[in-house]
Amino acid sequence: MRVMAQVAMVMNLDKCLGCHTCSVTCKQTWTNRDGVEYAWFNNVETRPGLGYPRGHEDQERWRGGWELDGRGRLRLRSGGRLRRLAHLFANPDLPTLDDYYEPATYDFDTLVTAPADESRIPVARPRSALTGEPMAVTAGPNWDDDLAGSPVHAAADPVLAAMTEQVRLSFEDTFMFHLPRICEHCLNPACVSACPSSAMYKRVEDGIVLVDQDACRGWRMCVSACPYKKVYLNHRTGKAEKCTFCFPRIEAGLPTVCAETCVGRLRYLGLLLYDADRVAEAAAVPAPADLLDAQRSLLLDPSDPEVVAAARRSGIAEDWIDAARRSPVWDLIARYQVALPLHPEYRTLPMVWYVPPLSPVLDATGARGGDDADADDVFHTITGLRIPMEYLAGLFTAGDTDRVAGVLLRLAAMRAHMRRRSVDGSADPALLERVGMSAEDVEAMYRLLAVAKAADRHVVPAAHTERAAELASWASGCSLDGPGGPGMSPTASRGGVVPLTLRRRRPR
């Protein structure tokens, strides 16, 4: 057992408002500059819908993630070394600008310099941020926002396309929800394996996946290999960029910008301990429906004395082990088992997990004439409402509807139990027995999901370094403001010492 640490995130989708505050603050911090106008390290998608870039989940088209060969071994869907070498200069699996959108600016000078003429109202016409030419705005990073019932947008959803005709035609009557997405910082990242120049790497100390801008040669194989399409090409520098998990803030013990500014307080940050020796084994489980259990089995109980001893032997500091014990991410993923990974069938072992939305199920309960406060009515609705179950399972459990139903039943039991406690102070042992949880666990899960303060939602241990003061200074300005980003600073280009936090660790 080789214990390693991973900074991870869980998002409670019941709380997402679709306000895009996380996207805007991330944009202002990391990609508010030339070359990455179209790149959104964080975006919020309406589901069902096409997402961003459009149809990014269609791996028959994009060939992202991993698959098993005829002998059950992992291989990149984008092909082996020979195929990547053959397409080094003409990669056929890259999204085009149309799959993203052409970023626009506006001719604001017209508004400022227009003469005072009541008969003519000046208009700031859109112009391409890339060419400067006039253009019509026909797409954007959240173009299908709040349009999940639209046959134009929902019908082209790759997850819906895999379902029956009845499901796809009636899905608009079921529910809509928002899905925030960032880089998954996977345990088995396809982007790292596909990079010909080893510029993409996963940090040993905290598992964050980064790009060494000095080593990147712009081959864009990482863009193709990432099944979540969360790697972008900076068209000015010709280098790849992606979500950095706000590593300067993480190193200073602070939450990511998206978590710090989230209006719905739906993001949970924490440390996980996992067995690095079993990552390849877990990713190569034959049945896609078994990947969830395989990934959970990698996560180690930070309260287990054997795990703690192994973590110490691996050089993990005591305060990091303590942070892993207090981690809300560990509680939601492993203790309460209400968080699920996004598309485990990609076999990348993602480390951004989601608590599926329960509110649409409560709405459906009322529409059927049931009582959304009655656990039996809610349970009946969950088990009978196959349409959203199929869709949620297509996102989070590789199609296993029973696993999604189990999570929703547990969340419904929590609501029913807490409502009963609030009304008359009673408890229903049979209700808790049905979901295999004690009253103490249910109430602790409620406190975490409903009323937890920032200190309980974000448990981030500071990095251990002699240059802690420098790390703290980075926390106040962690954007890629230098030309080309990390590793491309004037000091680095002159052959000087690259800051400690930006040095490339040896890839695993």
Side-chain angles (χ1 to χ4, degrees), residues 375-376 379-380 409-410 413 428-437:
D376 286 330
F379 288 178
H380 177 73
L409 290 173
R410 197 164 293 172
D428 184 357
L431 172 66
L432 301 178
E433 185 178 350
R434 292 169 71 175
V435 295
M437 297 182 71

Side-chain angles (χ1 to χ4, degrees), residues 377-396:
D377 283 352
V378 174
F379 288 178
H380 177 73
T381 303
I382 291 173
T383 55
L385 201 62
R386 305 310 297 171
I387 298 173
M389 295 294 296
E390 280 192 50
Y391 189 81
L392 292 175
L395 282 175
F396 302 121

Side-chain angles (χ1 to χ4, degrees), residues 482-499:
M488 296 296 288
S489 63
T491 301
S493 62
R494 291 194 302 268
V497 177
V498 182

Side-chain angles (χ1 to χ4, degrees), residues 56-98:
H56 63 86
E57 293 162 303
D58 184 0
Q59 303 311 331
E60 296 300 319
R61 176 186 181 189
W62 301 120
R63 303 172 61 86
W66 300 86
E67 62 182 359
L68 298 181
D69 63 15
R71 293 195 284 178
R73 299 176 303 182
L74 282 172
R75 69 180 178 192
L76 291 171
R77 288 178 65 93
S78 57
R81 294 181 180 179
L82 291 179
R83 185 181 187 276
R84 294 202 300 276
L85 181 62
H87 295 96
L88 199 60
F89 299 102
N91 188 343
D93 302 323
L94 280 176
T96 65
L97 190 60
D98 290 337

Side-chain angles (χ1 to χ4, degrees), residues 89-211:
F89 299 102
N91 188 343
D93 302 323
L94 280 176
T96 65
L97 190 60
D98 290 337
D99 295 307
Y100 297 101
Y101 72 104
E102 186 169 1
T105 185
Y106 294 86
D107 189 4
F108 294 110
D109 287 341
T110 301
L111 302 181
V112 177
T113 60
D117 186 348
E118 295 183 359
S119 63
R120 299 178 63 183
I121 300 177
V123 176
R125 300 187 182 279
R127 291 181 176 273
S128 170
L130 305 181
T131 66
E133 298 297 323
M135 61 172 287
V137 178
T138 59
N142 61 329
W143 198 249
D144 52 354
D145 195 25
D146 296 334
L147 293 177
S150 165
V152 175
H153 296 275
D157 185 328
V159 179
L160 276 182
M163 298 182 181
T164 65
E165 188 70 14
Q166 177 187 0
V167 169
R168 288 189 285 115
L169 290 177
S170 57
F171 199 95
E172 62 189 80
D173 297 327
T174 307
F175 74 100
M176 175 194 84
F177 66 95
H178 298 288
L179 180 71
R181 291 199 311 116
I182 63 173
C183 169
E184 299 288 328
H185 297 277
C186 308
L187 295 183
N188 185 37
C191 58
V192 173
S193 294
C195 180
S197 54
S198 297
M200 192 81 66
Y201 65 100
K202 187 173 179 66
R203 296 210 307 188
V204 173
E205 59 269 38
D206 54 19
I208 296 176
V209 177
L210 297 173
V211 186

Side-chain angles (χ1 to χ4, degrees), residues 20-42:
H20 301 276
T21 302
C22 53
S23 299
V24 173
T25 52
C26 176
K27 184 72 174 174
Q28 291 296 323
T29 303
W30 290 101
T31 60
N32 188 21
R33 53 201 160 78
D34 293 343
V36 281
E37 298 92 343
Y38 75 101
W40 293 78
F41 290 174
N42 182 109

